[in-house]
Amino acid sequence: MIRVLVSRDAIDIAAEFARLEQGGAVATFTGLVRADDGVATLELEHYPGATEAALARLAEDATARWSLAAATIVHRVGPMMPSERIVFVGTCSAHRAAALDACAFLIDRLKTDAPFWKCETVDGAARWVEARAADDDAAARWS
């Protein structure tokens, strides 16, 4: 089972986790909006259709590579405040190593492979977030 959702709605961690429990091992990652450098709000934009397709391809790749029973990617868009959930990634496999590796793969690759754009507001001024070399390095380890 693959579940991909891009939404403005808050992420219900308990519901997403329950969907993943299919026996074996479940690994999850939840990302929160950070308040680094005084960020007051974060606005995420995406390219509807293309973003979901990119995330689905990643989930399909992970499912095939690690023989997953389930993979979930839920990503928020729109305005968010620090400490709000921005992303949930979860995997289910017969064995913990596969679930953990697949979860790490998904979060590392979605940072570089999915079309999202971030705009932070600091002291009332908006600034676009540039791609980070560390994200590219993390994604490259799975090639």
Side-chain angles (χ1 to χ4, degrees):
M1 176 200 76
I2 291 175
R3 174 171 162 74
V4 170
L5 177 65
V6 177
S7 174
R8 297 177 75 84
D9 298 332
I11 299 170
D12 183 342
I13 299 294
E16 296 304 334
F17 190 90
R19 284 186 185 98
L20 284 167
E21 291 184 311
Q22 299 189 23
V26 174
T28 67
F29 172 86
T30 304
L32 307 175
V33 175
R34 295 186 309 260
D36 296 354
D37 303 323
V39 171
T41 60
L42 175 69
E43 177 111 17
L44 231 70
E45 295 182 8
H46 75 299
Y47 185 21
T51 302
E52 292 86 350
L55 295 175
R57 278 191 301 276
L58 289 174
E60 290 162 4
D61 289 350
T63 298
R65 186 170 178 175
W66 284 280
S67 299
L68 301 178
T72 298
I73 303 171
V74 178
H75 211 298
R76 287 197 52 202
V77 292
M80 288 166 270
M81 306 295 289
S83 78
E84 287 189 58
R85 295 179 189 121
I86 188 171
V87 63
F88 174 88
V89 172
T91 57
C92 179
S93 179
H95 302 285
R96 72 178 180 271
L100 290 166
D101 285 348
C103 188
F105 165 84
L106 287 172
I107 195 64
D108 285 346
R109 294 296 300 270
L110 80 81
K111 296 278 287 182
T112 59
D113 294 10
F116 288 105
W117 297 272
K118 295 179 181 180
C119 185
E120 299 173 332
T121 302
V122 177
D123 295 327
R127 66 180 183 204
W128 290 98
V129 177
E130 298 292 326
R132 298 179 189 181
D135 291 336
D136 292 332
D137 293 344
R141 75 182 177 125
W142 301 105
S143 297

